[in-house]
Amino acid sequence: MRRRSLLAGLALAPAAARAQRGDTVFWNAWGGDPRTNDFITWVDARMQVLHGIAVRHVKLTDTAEAVARVLAEQKAGRVEGGSVDLIWINGPNFLAMKQQKLLLGPVLDVLPNARLLDKRLDGITRIDFTVPTGGYEVPWRLARIVLIHSLAAPPRSMAELLSWSSTNLGRFTHPTARNFLGATFLKQALIELAADKPALLLPAANVEAVTAPLWDWYRALRPALWRGGRAFPETDAAQQTLMNDGEIDLMISFDPATAAIGARDGTLPKTARATGFAGGSIANCSFVAIPFNAAHKEAALLLANFLLSPDAQAHAADPGSLAVPPLLDLDRLEPADRARFSALPQLPGLPSAAELGPALPEPHPSWMTAVTAAWERLVTA
């Protein structure tokens, strides 16, 4: 692959940056998951071997930190040499950057490896929280929301969760809604409980009426949560520690492999497993995007392209790494690349499709903003 060909294909203002050996891509990404952190470390090593380009993981506690940095640079007139080269981004943050013209693009179909994407996943890989990506985002990882537990008969609906929690006081928790996982749990509940479900696919309107069933349910649930709902784990890792220490029996995750890997590695009980919701659970794709003023645009494009390579996707699918299903159509791969996937070891305890239930689309990003703000008001009242 010729390095200069990627930017040359973009119908944008001329880009001065060209990938050079010794460049560093500053990838701003959530830093709260050790397995993802390790994957990015592996990506750095591979990019250095393949292109002589380093990948620096700028660990975020909230993606909005990087978005605010790019916005501040735009307002200051910094149109080149920006501090952020690549962002792991989804939903409201993507919508905000797209609306404010903070992203380079469209870039997806310029990337050679994009032709390998499984077209059956277009509804996930080209749509982010109901918003078409328009090629401004590059998918790299699938996710599904699940419950992690060691129970013989886990709850599989929000009504069952409330009933179970009410008779098992303090044995369930969820991360703060300031964390995307906590916010996603509330959205999962909203999808199940809202009477006007089609409204969730549109920009938030009539919010109080649409979300009223959610908050009626949550007010009943909160006193039964760990510590009476007066405190919440800040991260997924923190709630995993609570489960491994025996403080809780049930938690939420956005990764169906969490239980199997945690049981294997000792970060969760040996009996831990994952179960989806009977009516379906939220599924989405993790994306990366390049800010309009990235200092190393060409190198960032090379990195985004590498994330869609059979090399990177097979490593992400490895149970020793992320254990996530590939985004690629394996039938489109060369035989040697296809063999990478068939040779992967199997991980006992991964949930079946039946255990996960149907995949549900994310609500419009504005609902996440509305739900998070309402939760903040409720718990601080």
Side-chain angles (χ1 to χ4, degrees):
M1 174 176 45
R2 292 179 302 166
R3 293 175 177 174
R4 294 177 61 184
S5 66
L6 293 178
L7 273 177
L10 292 175
L12 300 168
R18 295 176 182 173
Q20 301 289 339
R21 297 191 71 84
D23 277 354
T24 296
V25 178
F26 290 88
W27 184 0
N28 286 240
W30 180 61
D33 176 36
R35 287 191 291 127
T36 303
N37 296 345
D38 290 344
F39 177 77
I40 295 175
T41 298
W42 176 86
V43 168
D44 168 43
R46 291 296 293 146
M47 286 292 291
Q48 294 203 46
V49 169
L50 294 172
H51 302 293
I53 291 170
V55 178
R56 177 77 58 82
H57 183 186
V58 181
K59 295 181 180 179
L60 305 175
T61 56
D62 189 329
T63 304
E65 300 167 21
V67 177
R69 204 176 313 137
V70 176
L71 181 59
E73 290 174 354
Q74 182 198 53
K75 290 182 176 178
R78 188 175 176 181
V79 297
E80 292 288 345
S83 60
V84 179
D85 292 317
L86 195 73
I87 305 179
W88 176 5
I89 194 168
N90 281 88
N93 289 305
F94 165 65
L95 182 61
M97 293 195 80
K98 185 180 180 185
Q99 289 176 334
Q100 296 180 72
K101 302 186 186 304
L102 296 177
L103 296 175
L104 183 75
V107 300
L108 178 58
D109 292 324
V110 173
L111 305 179
N113 287 331
R115 63 183 176 81
L116 302 176
L117 283 167
D118 190 337
K119 293 189 179 300
R120 292 167 295 187
L121 298 175
D122 277 359
I124 298 175
T125 59
R126 293 178 181 269
I127 296 176
D128 187 356
F129 286 53
T130 76
V131 177
T133 67
Y136 285 84
E137 289 184 302
V138 178
W140 67 283
R141 176 180 178 181
L142 287 171
R144 285 285 298 275
I145 197 164
V146 292
L147 286 167
I148 307 296
H149 61 91
S150 297
L151 306 174
R156 298 202 66 192
S157 71
M158 294 303 164
E160 291 179 5
L161 178 59
L162 174 57
S163 177
W164 184 91
S165 299
S166 298
T167 55
N168 295 271
L169 296 176
R171 306 303 295 177
F172 170 64
T173 191
H174 65 82
T176 167
R178 293 181 290 274
N179 178 288
F180 79 94
L181 181 55
T184 303
F185 167 64
L186 294 175
K187 288 186 295 178
Q188 175 73 33
L190 178 61
I191 289 173
E192 182 174 329
L193 299 169
D196 188 2
K197 290 176 175 52
L200 303 179
L201 301 178
L202 302 171
N206 199 20
V207 172
E208 186 173 343
V210 173
T211 61
L214 167 66
W215 301 123
D216 288 345
W217 169 84
Y218 191 79
R219 288 186 185 94
L221 174 70
R222 187 184 173 196
L225 296 175
W226 175 72
R227 294 192 177 178
R230 295 184 298 275
F232 300 88
E234 289 293 327
T235 64
D236 181 29
Q239 66 170 355
Q240 288 193 45
T241 299
L242 291 176
M243 178 169 281
N244 208 31
D245 289 347
E247 290 198 49
I248 60 173
D249 299 314
L250 194 64
M251 66 177 229
I252 203 81
S253 176
F254 212 7
D255 181 355
T258 292
I261 290 177
R264 180 196 66 193
D265 295 347
T267 57
L268 286 173
K270 292 294 185 185
T271 52
R273 60 188 184 277
T275 304
F277 292 88
S281 57
I282 290 175
N284 75 18
C285 195
S286 291
F287 295 92
V288 291
I290 303 170
F292 78 102
N293 66 342
H296 306 102
K297 294 182 179 72
E298 183 73 65
L301 284 163
L302 284 171
L303 172 54
N305 189 59
F306 174 71
L307 292 174
L308 290 180
S309 68
D311 185 8
Q313 288 287 301
H315 186 74
D318 192 322
S321 179
L322 299 176
V324 294
L327 294 171
L328 308 183
D329 183 344
L330 302 189
D331 291 336
R332 297 172 66 90
L333 304 185
E334 296 295 328
D337 287 328
R338 197 178 309 127
R340 294 174 185 258
F341 295 89
S342 58
L344 291 173
Q346 299 301 305
L347 180 64
L350 282 177
S352 66
E355 289 171 321
L356 288 176
L360 302 178
E362 289 272 10
H364 188 275
S366 54
W367 286 104
M368 182 171 176
T369 303
V371 165
T372 302
W375 180 86
E376 287 279 9
R377 292 193 296 271
L378 190 154
V379 300
T380 58

